[in-house]
Amino acid sequence: MRHLAENVIAHKRLTLILFTVAILLCALLMGLVSVNFNLVDYLPPDSPSTVALGVMSDSFQIQPPNARALMQNVDMAQALDAKKRIAAVPGVAEILWLDDMVDIYQPLEMMDQKLLSAWYKEGSALFSLTIAGKQPSETVDAVRAILGDGGELSGDVIDRVSVQQTTRKEVLQIMVFVVPLILIILLLTTSSWFEPVLFLAVIGVSILLNMGTNAFFGQVSFITQTCTAILQLAVSMDYAIFLLHRFQELRHEGQDVKTAMIGAMKKSFSSIFASGLTTILGFGALVVMRFGIGADLGLVLAKGIVFSLLSVLVLL
């Protein structure tokens, strides 16, 4: 470890250049990460739900409806116009309404009243939709805009979009609350105002490297995409604290900067490595879950800890 520490310190400029290049590459790769919002894809192949979906897919060429849309205070002509506009929305594979069952131009009294009430009742029209686009949230927002005030949407795809939007919003709120709180705690417990900034910068670099390299997995779930950053921040911040505190102790003993950092890396390596390895194995255990989201989340988090260790022991 002492040999590694000496090489890192002796080649500080090269180390910074390599990390800068890696940061820029990962920043570009982040835009290429495909996010999977469909948790059904992570079900075990032999689960009853997966088998049933496979049978339905083989038996029917069209996808079953996965959403319902209610439009209020409309007459037949307005409902038919809304149906045409919804059908033109990108991501809407199919839309069904009363006009697909009967001739809506005949008097309402002549229609099957049970069938009529299932699709149109008291000035409200109910549409059955199949949403199959890669960006369901954009499709749902466009449909909501057409439905207008009082419009309602329900169904599996709507629930999925709601979970996505809620998760993103709440994780952002957590980050906005947690990061300043961590900064305040570190300011109160460290000897220099710059130390908290340094800690967050180093861990931030490791998070960026981890998020960018997710592109090599092809895709990650939206749960992994939204939760990885805050979990990585929470479990790896102590690595930087261990190293810098050991460095300060050696500096107080009178050692020069270079000698103190070499000694700090050597003395803290076993503690940092043991802590990191334990965390990696803990996240790695998620890989054995039959529900595929475990492997997806576990691999990304374990990779994140590796980058945190590298950032702390090399970049810091």
Side-chain angles (χ1 to χ4, degrees):
M1 186 60 203
R2 181 179 181 85
H3 182 66
L4 173 63
E6 291 176 346
N7 284 333
V8 169
I9 293 175
H11 301 90
K12 291 185 291 185
R13 293 183 183 276
L14 179 60
T15 300
L16 289 174
I17 291 173
L18 291 176
F19 266 91
T20 301
V21 172
I23 290 169
L24 294 175
L25 287 176
C26 287
L28 294 174
L29 288 173
M30 282 181 64
L32 303 178
V33 178
S34 176
V35 182
N36 188 346
F37 296 100
N38 189 8
L39 292 181
V40 174
D41 292 341
Y42 297 95
L43 290 173
D46 58 346
S47 70
S49 297
T50 305
V51 174
L53 288 172
V55 171
M56 291 179 64
S57 178
D58 294 337
S59 303
F60 303 98
Q61 295 185 1
I62 61 173
Q63 296 184 7
N66 53 14
R68 296 192 301 171
L70 177 68
M71 192 173 192
Q72 301 184 33
N73 302 319
V74 291
D75 56 26
M76 284 289 190
Q78 291 172 325
L80 185 59
D81 178 67
K83 177 193 173 184
K84 293 178 180 177
R85 287 188 287 144
I86 292 174
V89 173
V92 176
E94 187 177 14
I95 178 170
L96 299 175
W97 189 54
L98 182 63
D99 65 313
D100 296 300
M101 315 297 172
V102 298
D103 179 10
I104 64 172
Y105 295 103
Q106 64 179 306
L108 299 182
E109 293 77 8
M110 297 181 61
M111 297 182 187
D112 183 330
Q113 295 302 302
K114 186 176 181 180
L115 178 63
L116 174 63
S117 62
W119 297 95
Y120 184 80
K121 185 176 182 181
E122 298 177 356
S124 296
L126 181 65
F127 305 99
S128 178
L129 285 74
T130 301
I131 297 177
K134 291 185 177 181
Q135 298 294 335
S137 60
E138 296 179 3
T139 302
V140 170
D141 290 341
V143 173
R144 286 190 192 278
I146 295 173
L147 296 177
D149 296 336
E152 300 291 345
L153 284 166
S154 66
D156 292 340
V157 69
I158 309 303
D159 294 339
R160 192 163 70 240
V161 169
S162 178
V163 169
Q164 297 166 20
Q165 295 174 343
T166 301
T167 303
R168 287 173 176 171
K169 180 180 178 181
E170 292 187 352
V171 168
L172 180 60
Q173 291 175 342
I174 290 171
M175 292 294 287
V176 170
F177 174 76
V178 168
V179 172
L181 183 60
I182 292 174
L183 195 59
I184 292 172
I185 293 174
L186 291 174
L187 284 171
L188 295 175
T189 55
T190 54
S191 58
S192 169
W193 66 269
F194 187 67
E195 289 181 22
V197 177
L198 192 60
F199 293 154
L200 291 176
V202 171
I203 301 302
V205 167
S206 67
I207 291 173
L208 179 61
L209 295 176
N210 189 33
M211 300 291 279
T213 52
N214 285 341
F216 296 106
F217 289 154
Q219 69 175 16
V220 296
S221 71
F222 77 94
I223 293 178
T224 300
Q225 183 75 0
T226 53
C227 296
T228 296
I230 191 167
L231 288 175
Q232 187 177 344
L233 174 65
V235 301
S236 59
M237 177 64 72
D238 55 339
Y239 306 154
I241 296 175
F242 289 162
L243 179 61
L244 203 56
H245 279 194
R246 178 66 69 178
F247 170 76
Q248 289 177 339
E249 290 177 0
L250 296 177
R251 285 287 288 159
H252 291 159
E253 294 176 3
Q255 297 185 13
D256 60 74
V257 174
K258 180 179 179 180
T259 304
M261 181 51 71
I262 293 174
M265 291 179 68
K266 180 180 178 181
K267 292 184 178 180
S268 62
F269 175 78
S270 59
S271 299
I272 294 175
F273 182 75
S275 177
L277 184 60
T278 302
T279 309
I280 291 172
L281 292 176
F283 287 139
L286 295 174
V287 175
V288 301
M289 287 178 59
R290 296 189 70 243
F291 186 31
I293 200 71
D296 186 80
L297 186 61
L299 287 173
V300 173
L301 286 172
K303 175 166 63 69
I305 300 303
V306 173
F307 281 120
S308 294
L309 290 172
L310 288 175
S311 297
V312 169
L313 293 173
V314 179
L315 182 62
L316 180 60

